């Protein structure tokens, strides 16, 4: 019985889970931001490339 009580009071694993959740949240935010900025950024680079090619 004491072993079970000690097991439930042990919070060392909770920190690792919290870090994992934070990393997952940051990953989702980064993927969302990259997806939202990807197309406009690609269009901008293509426009710059075309302008540089036509300037020759």
């Amino acid at each position: 019985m004491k072993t079970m009580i000690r097991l439930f009071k042990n919070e060392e694993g909770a920190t690792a889970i919290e870090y994992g959740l934070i990393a997952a949240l940051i990953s989702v935010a980064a993927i969302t931001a990259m997806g939202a900025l990807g197309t406009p950024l690609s269009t901008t680079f293509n426009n710059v490339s075309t302008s540089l090619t036509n300037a020759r």
Side-chain angles (χ1 to χ4, degrees):
M1 186 69 174
K2 288 182 182 181
T3 305
M4 292 297 287
I5 293 172
R6 222 178 314 138
L7 181 64
F8 286 120
K9 286 185 178 181
N10 186 359
E11 295 182 1
E12 290 178 10
T15 304
I17 292 171
E18 290 167 356
Y19 283 133
L21 290 173
I22 291 169
L25 182 63
I26 290 171
S27 299
V28 168
I31 290 168
T32 303
M34 289 177 198
L37 293 175
T39 302
L41 192 59
S42 176
T43 302
T44 302
F45 280 123
N46 285 333
N47 290 341
V48 170
S49 175
T50 302
S51 297
L52 289 174
T53 301
N54 291 338
R56 290 185 193 187

